[in-house]
Structures are given as structure tokens and as C-alpha cells.
Amino acid sequence: MKKLSPRFLFFLLLGMQVAWLDGRANYATALAPDSSRSLFADRGLWKEDESKRSIYSRTFITPDGRIIAQSSKAPLCYKDKSGNLQVIDCTLKPSEKGWEAVQQTNPCWLNFDGSTTMTLGEGQLMTYNQSARLNGYDLDPEGQVWLNKNEASFGLFHTLPIAKKFAFNYDRIETDYVIYNLIPTIANTDLHFSEEIILPDGFTLSRDLARGKEVDGCWQGDLLVYAPDGSVRARFFMPVYYDMAGAQLAGAYQLVRDAATGVYTLKVMVPGSWLNDPARVFPVTIDPLVTGPTTTWAGGTMPSCLLPAYNADSILVVIPGQISITGLWVQSSYEASVFTNTPKSDGRMYFSTNCGTTPVLTVTGSQGALPGTAYLQFTNYRNPLACCLPQTCAQQTIWLRMHLARSAQGAGCNTNYIYYDPFTTWPFSAYVEGRTVETYAQQWTINTTTICSNQCTITATVYARYGVPPYTITHPWASGPVVMGAPLPCSLGNSNAQIQLTIPGCPTYCQPGGAISIPSPTITDACGNTVTGFPPKTITILTAPDVTAIPNPLAICSGEPVAISFTSCEGNATFSWTGDNATNGSGNISTILTNTGTAPNTVTYTVTPSANGCTGQPVSVPVQVNPFPGASAGNDTLIYSATSITLNGGGGNGSASYSWAPPYNLSCTDCQYPTANPSTTTTYTLYVTENGCTSTDTVTVYVEVSPWAIVVPNTFTPNGNGVNDLFRPEMLGIIELEMHIFNRWGELLYSWNTINGSWDGTYKGEKVQQGVYVWLLHAVPEDKHHPPIEMTGTVTVLPKTK
């Protein structure tokens, strides 16, 4: 075996680039700008909800509370020997013979000698990349293999002047030879990279006649590994060559089998004319790909159809419950066949759901003229693909369809020109990003940071989004919950609502001010998820003053001055007042009120204290203005002596009190209608008092001596001695007389109705007993201007004298 000389290796080292090169970037072209960074920024910190794991889906919770559901056409998990779902992880980890990627259905290995081993089935291993040579020179003099520190899933076998990269993925290994510069010793010849392949007993490797063609004795196409039962267990994809400028060429294989050992030697043929073309921009990548038995798509490679027809395939996308969808990130790719030199610009790809359809994607510009991979890195198509899905508490699923077509190159649907490759680095898959209920923006606010101690209500504004509306806002200071928002398609639920809070123990007056902390609200969405832990709010309480009015209430008589003074617990308080008689002012009240009516009226003053920028509770001060009652003692009048008259007092409104003076010859002094019998002319004053107000009036009673007289004796002795034997009155100016005598039991003993009549002291012919007897007199004066006279009295019947 020939080795590359140390001198040759040193020469190559001088011109070698030591950067890690990802040559596939020159072979593949993005269909849209990469927008996945916002989705995967914290990918290493995602925590999986293993209970929701399936072969084609996984669910994660991110540190910032997002819920991520991953769905893919390619398997994401596999079942281990115990039947448990395990996550496929193709990251290379150290092993006894090198590195391994065994967390998958068919484990793969990268060995210290640069060879690779792939599982083709239970206990069936294929080893290839063994004994690598370039035009007969051994490419592995030292066997140096290490991991790229930046990409833990990549292995690197590096022997000057050739770098060999290994990219491990699910049941597949991509092997790239990277040529940094022309190799002087073989600069004018074709390059032959050769490797040995060892298959399990009964397995064979041969051309895929459906995908390739023979060119100059070599096979420009795929190779298939067949199991003894005829099933395909692995595929060697046709190699592709490309340089840093994007120039590409379909490669070819030469396959030889050693009949004695059964070992295959696989050569990759690189035309020297292409490699030595002056237009070539180094480094150049030789890119084959080997896949194992289970990395297959349902139905195999997806064909494209000629426009306007599209072929379609779909994946079932899981949408977690209890979220608002914030992103539907879609990834896929299509291949423009290198076999047929189909330009990527011939491809058309778009995605759809029952909600809507994305724009059609294709490659334009200079890259569009080349064959190769057109890929869509994860791109957020929430709108339009998820905008018909309202938020719900239950998990949903939706079919995400990929549509593939081409604009030229033959009729019908086929894989000859544009197709979807199930073994792509950009498999058809999707991430649903969503969030449960949370607050946003200012979280919650209050309408003030300073409040007076007698202001009891605060308005809080609470912000909620995501999760599943409607949201219920509760607060320990609120009288009840407030509900806001509604589940709507394509909505993030952004809502805010105001809630009225009542400060406990409010209102207060005269208490020292200070700061109080307002507890935070709670947001609960329709699924019962809550948002708590808002930062509390602090408000400053200013002391509100009180007011005391002296006097309060107040009653005055019409025309009297009003003087009301005000005091407060706050020494710096000021006072303003308004009266319901259209007056107003500040400070104490000093005024005069009148009432010209007959009934009391009230003027109410409303007094408001102010201090510390706060207005205290107003106080009402009623002032009752009472009218004077308007006393009336009646008209002056004339009476005759020994007669009486009833005085007619008046005034007031039913609640007045009356008083007469002087008190002489009056039947009462505190009544409204007293009887007066003065013996001489007298002027009486009436005092009428009502509601504390007194009015006076006078009346004069003139007394004249009567033109008549009646004198009735008070004793007589009816003993027949001729002296004082008869009882009769002596009269002057009387024209009629009627007189009656009664005993003490009221029995009538004797009466007469003549001027000259008399009583002789007998009853029924018998002398009455001595004692006191009552008489009643009715007389009519001669002067008709005088009223009749009624008099009564007693007379004593004396015993007989000796």
C-alpha cells in the first residue's frame, strides 16, 4: 500500500485551510431566510414532557413558559428492547473502539481507524469507510480521529492533505471528503477515492437501476444493500461534488467485489478535468451519503407533479391543549436532481392546512440555476396555517400538508427531476409553539400612587394573554371577579380589564398618613390555569381632615345674626361652604337671615374641609329661621263694673304658647282665651311665643259703673216678728226679675218672677230649718244696651230671735 510522503504532507500543509468547512451549504440553497433562531435560542434548556412522547412527536416546556410540540414525518423516538419510547439521539459519544451513536433503532459507530459501522437489522452489521485510499495512497497513516467541538454530532478523520467529515443522523452516515487544494503529484489525473465495505453473510451490494445511469463504465446513481430476503437494508446515494462557488457535478461509483473474501471495494471517481478547471474554487467537497434500513418515508421518495398539479404528503401535527398558538414552525426541502441536471428554480413547494395556505416557495437567482437541495429552515407559518384554530383546553391535531411540483421537465408526477428525499438534512417536520396563560406588558397597574384616606376606591388594570380565554380576574379587595376576553382564531388573547378595588377600613379621617401595599390580582383562564405572583403595588395615604361646626344645628329668629365657626383635627385645614340659599364662602359663617313668612324655613350650609391636598367629608349645618308669631290680643272693649269679658288671644301656627300680663282679674295668664273682670279700666299685654320667637300685642278693657244695681241680703229671720221676715233683693234699674231658692241638695224650695216677689222662709207651708240656702237670680236691666244679669249666691236662714 502506497503512503503519502512526509515531504508531500508538509507541502500540502502550507496551503491548507484549518477552518471546519460545512461544504453542504454550497450544495443546498435556502428557500426563505432562517427565522428559527427565535425558536431554538434556548433549545438546550427545554424540558420534555415524556408522558406525551410518541414515535413522531415530542412535547417540551421552555424556561420562559412556552409549550413546544414537535411533529415530524421522520421518527423522533424509537422503542427500546423493553418497549419504552426513547428519544433518537445521534450525538457521538465515546466508546471502547471510538465513538457511537446508539440511541436509535439501528445504532451506528465511528471507529478509531476511520471506518464506520451501521446496523442493518438485528445483529447484522455493515462496516464501510474502511482502508480509505486516494489513487492508491493510504489516507490513514496515523489513524487520527476526533470530534468537532462545535458540532458534537460530527466526527472528523483528518489526514493531510484530505479532511474527511462524518455526519451522523438517524440510521445514516454522511461522509464528505474535503480537498483543500490541488494535489501536485496527481494534479493532472482523475481522483479515485476507494474504501472497503464488509457486509453480513448473504447480503449484497448492487446498483439501483431505478436511480442512476452508467457513465464511462461507472455507475452515476445509487447503490443498494440487499438482505437475503431481497429487502433493501441500506442505500449509498450517488456522490455529489461541489466547490465553494457552488459549482456542482454528479459523481459516479465503481464497485468491485473480492470473490474470495466477499469484501467490496467502492471507488468514488472525481474527473480531473472538473477538479483542475481554473474556475474551481477550493475547497472542494466529495459528498456521498449512506442510509440504513429504517430511515424510510411512507411511500418512499415523494415525487413532484408538473404544474399546475401538485403532489402532497402530510404529517399529523399535535397542538397541545391549554395554549394559544404563538408559532407553527415548518421545515422541509426538495431535491433538484443532479442526475438530470435539473435547476432548483424548477421546484415549487408550499404548505397547507384546513386553515390556509402558505406562499409558494422556489429558488431564484444564480443558485436557482443549479441542481441540489432547496431547503426551508424552520419558518413560522402560524398565519395562515393555524389561524382557524381557536384556543381550547383539549389537545388538538391538524394535518399539515406539503405540496410539491415542478415548472418543467416532463409530464406527470415522478422523481426524475424534483422530489422530496426522505434522507434529507431538512426533513418535513413542524414545531408548534404555544403559551399557557400569562400576563404581559405592564402586568397590572393602578390608576394612582397617592390617595386620600377617605378615598376608598382604586381602579386596577390587569393584562392577560395566551392560554385559553376568557380570563377571570380576582382580587382580595374586589367585590367580585371580572371576566374578559374570548377564544378567537389566530388570537393571542391579548386582553386587559379594569377592576375596582376597595381599600379595607376606608374611609378614615385624622389618622396619620403612610404607605400601604396593595396585594396582587390572580388571573385564571378557562382551563383553570392561573397567573399569580405579580409584584405588589404601593400607594401613599394622605390624611383627610374632618370638620366640626359650632353650633350645629342652629335655630334663630328672623333677622338675628348667624355665627358658625369650624374646627378640624388637621390644624392646617381650610373650609369652604355653600348654602342652599345660593350663597357661598370660605372660613367661618357670619350673616343675617330673615323669614317674612308665617312658617319656619331652613337654610342648610354644606361645609367641606381641605388639607394635605385632600377634601374631607362634607358636613351639613342646618339653620332654622323662625318667623315672629304675630301676637293679636283682640280689640279694646268696654264693660260695666261687676261684669267680665273673655279676651281673644291669637297668633302663631298651632304650637305657640301664650302669656298675659298683668295677671290681675284674669281667669288664667297662660291660656289663649282668659276671662277678665277688672274693676277698673285695665290694659292687658299678650305675649305669643313660638319656636323661641316672641311677639306682643295689647288690649284695653274699659270699665264703667253700671246704671243698675242689685243687692241681695245674705241672711234673714222668718220668725214673724216683723223684722227681717222676708228674703228679697234690693234693686235699681231692673224691670224684670226671676229668682229661685234651692236647698243644699238642689231641691227647688221657692221661686218668683215679679219685681216685688219675696220668700218667707217656708216650704210647702212649713217653715224651713235654719241653715244655708242657694239662690239664683235672673234680671233684665231697663237699659237694653246692657245684657241680662245672672247672679247666684247663698242666704242663711237664722233661728228665731228671742
Side-chain angles (χ1 to χ4, degrees):
M1 181 184 297
K2 293 185 284 185
K3 305 271 187 175
L4 294 177
S5 68
R7 181 180 179 184
F8 175 64
L9 296 179
F10 177 77
F11 176 77
L12 289 177
L13 179 61
L14 294 178
M16 183 174 180
Q17 301 180 28
V18 295
W20 175 262
L21 300 174
D22 186 1
R24 181 164 290 276
N26 296 313
Y27 176 70
T29 305
L31 287 164
D34 183 3
S35 62
S36 64
R37 296 184 184 277
S38 62
L39 175 66
F40 296 113
D42 58 352
R43 180 65 176 86
L45 302 176
W46 294 4
K47 182 178 180 181
E48 184 181 5
D49 183 350
E50 296 184 10
S51 66
K52 297 180 180 178
R53 182 182 290 174
S54 73
I55 295 292
Y56 296 100
S57 65
R58 299 174 68 191
T59 301
F60 306 88
I61 300 176
T62 69
D64 62 352
R66 292 173 294 152
I67 295 178
I68 308 291
Q70 180 186 11
S71 301
S72 177
K73 194 74 173 182
L76 301 174
C77 302
Y78 72 100
K79 289 188 177 181
D80 61 16
K81 293 181 179 180
S82 299
N84 298 319
L85 284 174
Q86 303 294 339
V87 176
I88 295 173
D89 183 2
C90 298
T91 301
L92 289 172
K93 299 177 177 62
S95 69
E96 182 179 350
K97 297 182 180 181
W99 292 267
E100 61 184 14
V102 297
Q103 195 167 324
Q104 54 183 321
T105 306
N106 295 283
C108 300
W109 292 266
L110 172 61
N111 305 310
F112 283 129
D113 62 0
S115 65
T116 54
T117 301
M118 178 180 290
T119 304
L120 301 183
E122 187 68 32
Q124 298 166 327
L125 303 178
M126 174 181 70
T127 299
Y128 62 103
N129 281 313
Q130 183 170 279
S131 301
R133 290 181 291 276
L134 172 61
N135 289 12
Y137 290 92
D138 188 354
L139 291 178
D140 187 22
E142 304 294 337
Q144 302 173 24
V145 180
W146 63 88
L147 288 178
N148 173 25
K149 294 181 180 179
N150 295 323
E151 297 287 349
S153 60
F154 283 81
L156 173 65
F157 172 73
H158 192 182
T159 302
L160 297 177
I162 303 298
K164 190 173 184 180
K165 297 191 306 180
F166 301 89
F168 282 65
N169 209 322
Y170 178 60
D171 288 343
R172 74 183 185 192
I173 303 174
E174 179 183 355
T175 305
D176 291 348
Y177 288 100
V178 181
I179 305 172
Y180 293 100
N181 287 294
L182 283 174
I183 304 172
T185 58
I186 52 176
N188 297 316
T189 63
D190 295 339
L191 296 187
H192 301 163
F193 290 93
S194 64
E195 301 170 350
E196 291 182 353
I197 303 171
I198 301 175
L199 298 176
D201 290 342
F203 282 70
T204 58
L205 177 63
S206 60
R207 298 175 177 180
D208 181 0
L209 300 180
R211 289 175 59 87
K213 61 184 177 180
E214 187 170 330
V215 178
D216 297 330
C218 298
W219 183 249
Q220 193 176 68
D222 295 357
L223 303 176
L224 299 176
V225 175
Y226 290 96
D229 61 4
S231 62
V232 175
R233 295 299 183 89
R235 178 184 293 271
F236 286 73
F237 281 82
M238 180 197 74
V240 178
Y241 316 144
Y242 46 87
D243 69 3
M244 284 294 290
Q248 300 173 18
L249 181 68
Y253 288 125
Q254 189 179 74
L255 183 64
V256 178
R257 181 177 184 274
D258 187 321
T261 63
V263 175
Y264 289 88
T265 298
L266 180 65
K267 292 183 179 181
V268 178
M269 316 300 294
V270 184
S273 58
W274 182 82
L275 190 63
N276 291 280
D277 189 322
R280 199 62 50 239
V281 179
F282 285 86
V284 169
T285 300
I286 313 304
D287 184 6
L289 173 66
V290 180
T291 63
T294 60
T295 310
T296 57
W297 206 264
T301 301
M302 176 181 170
S304 65
C305 298
L306 184 64
L307 289 175
Y310 277 86
N311 196 9
D313 202 350
S314 60
I315 56 175
L316 187 64
V317 174
V318 175
I319 301 173
Q322 307 184 18
I323 66 166
S324 288
I325 301 173
T326 56
L328 176 55
W329 303 78
V330 180
Q331 173 182 269
S332 194
S333 59
Y334 66 79
E335 295 289 330
S337 176
V338 178
F339 292 112
T340 55
N341 199 31
T342 302
K344 291 190 281 279
S345 61
D346 279 359
R348 300 289 187 275
M349 183 172 68
Y350 73 90
F351 305 90
S352 70
T353 65
N354 292 339
C355 293
T357 300
T358 69
V360 176
L361 304 173
T362 190
V363 179
T364 60
S366 60
Q367 286 294 313
L370 300 174
T373 303
Y375 67 92
L376 178 70
Q377 195 81 342
F378 282 106
T379 302
N380 190 356
Y381 282 128
R382 170 179 170 268
N383 187 1
L385 297 183
C387 272
C388 68
L389 301 174
Q391 303 97 325
T392 177
C393 297
Q395 177 178 289
Q396 304 177 80
T397 57
I398 188 172
W399 286 103
L400 172 63
R401 295 177 290 271
M402 177 180 71
H403 304 262
L404 189 61
R406 63 185 186 280
S407 61
Q409 308 282 5
C413 301
N414 57 65
T415 59
N416 297 332
Y417 309 101
I418 300 293
Y419 59 93
Y420 173 77
D421 186 348
F423 309 111
T424 178
T425 305
W426 298 276
F428 180 28
S429 54
Y431 283 89
V432 172
E433 178 189 48
R435 291 181 180 270
T436 55
V437 61
E438 64 179 48
T439 185
Y440 72 101
Q442 304 172 77
Q443 299 187 2
W444 76 298
T445 61
I446 54 175
N447 63 330
T448 182
T449 56
T450 302
I451 195 169
C452 297
S453 62
N454 62 336
Q455 293 177 267
C456 301
T457 302
I458 301 170
T459 300
T461 302
V462 183
Y463 298 80
R465 65 179 178 184
Y466 303 144
V468 181
Y471 311 112
T472 300
I473 314 301
T474 56
H475 192 280
W477 290 5
S479 60
V482 172
V483 178
M484 65 181 182
L488 297 172
C490 216
S491 169
L492 298 179
N494 291 21
S495 303
N496 66 79
Q498 291 185 340
I499 186 168
Q500 299 299 315
L501 309 181
T502 300
I503 300 174
C506 185
T508 61
Y509 298 90
C510 301
Q511 294 185 5
I516 64 171
S517 179
I518 305 175
S520 58
T522 297
I523 302 172
T524 305
D525 75 350
C527 305
N529 296 319
T530 61
V531 182
T532 58
F534 295 88
K537 303 293 183 181
T538 300
I539 58 173
T540 299
I541 303 295
L542 302 175
T543 301
D546 69 348
V547 59
T548 300
I550 302 174
N552 184 22
L554 175 63
I556 64 168
C557 296
S558 177
E560 291 182 354
V562 175
I564 305 172
S565 61
F566 306 114
T567 61
S568 175
C569 61
E570 285 289 303
N572 61 344
T574 60
F575 310 98
S576 61
W577 53 266
T578 60
D580 58 9
N581 61 346
T583 59
N584 60 78
S586 60
N588 296 330
I589 298 176
S590 179
T591 187
I592 293 177
L593 300 176
T594 61
N595 183 355
T596 59
T598 59
N601 65 29
T602 300
V603 176
T604 300
Y605 294 96
T606 301
V607 186
T608 304
S610 298
N612 309 314
C614 298
T615 300
Q617 181 72 25
V619 170
S620 293
V621 182
V623 179
Q624 180 174 300
V625 183
N626 298 307
F628 287 98
S632 176
N635 298 323
D636 294 345
T637 188
L638 174 67
I639 66 172
Y640 293 102
S641 60
T643 63
S644 63
I645 187 172
T646 299
L647 302 182
N648 188 20
N653 288 292
S655 62
S657 62
Y658 302 89
S659 177
W660 297 86
Y664 311 123
N665 301 306
L666 294 176
S667 61
C668 59
T669 59
D670 58 354
C671 58
Q672 187 174 357
Y673 309 109
T675 299
N677 55 354
S679 59
T680 61
T681 297
T682 303
T683 298
Y684 293 98
T685 301
L686 172 63
Y687 298 88
V688 180
T689 302
E690 190 171 40
N691 298 317
C693 301
T694 301
S695 296
T696 62
D697 194 21
T698 61
V699 61
T700 299
V701 179
Y702 295 95
V703 179
E704 291 184 2
V705 176
S706 300
W708 54 267
I710 299 175
V711 178
V712 180
N714 57 5
T715 62
F716 80 104
T717 55
N719 55 8
N721 63 357
V723 178
N724 199 22
D725 285 334
L726 297 175
F727 170 70
R728 62 184 177 185
E730 298 294 330
M731 296 177 291
L732 175 66
I734 298 300
I735 61 173
E736 292 182 15
L737 174 68
E738 182 179 349
M739 198 165 184
H740 305 276
I741 308 298
F742 301 91
N743 62 17
R744 60 183 177 179
W745 292 281
E747 183 180 6
L748 178 66
L749 302 180
Y750 189 77
S751 65
W752 69 90
N753 58 6
T754 64
I755 294 296
N756 297 318
S758 64
W759 181 41
D760 61 1
T762 64
Y763 174 60
K764 294 182 179 181
E766 297 290 333
K767 294 291 185 179
V768 298
Q769 294 181 358
Q770 67 178 13
V772 178
Y773 293 89
V774 178
W775 54 265
L776 176 65
L777 180 149
H778 176 81
V780 177
E782 293 178 353
D783 187 351
K784 299 301 182 181
H785 291 93
H786 292 279
I789 300 167
E790 300 285 345
M791 296 177 65
T792 186
T794 60
V795 61
T796 302
V797 177
L798 297 176
K800 297 177 181 181
T801 59
K802 294 181 179 180

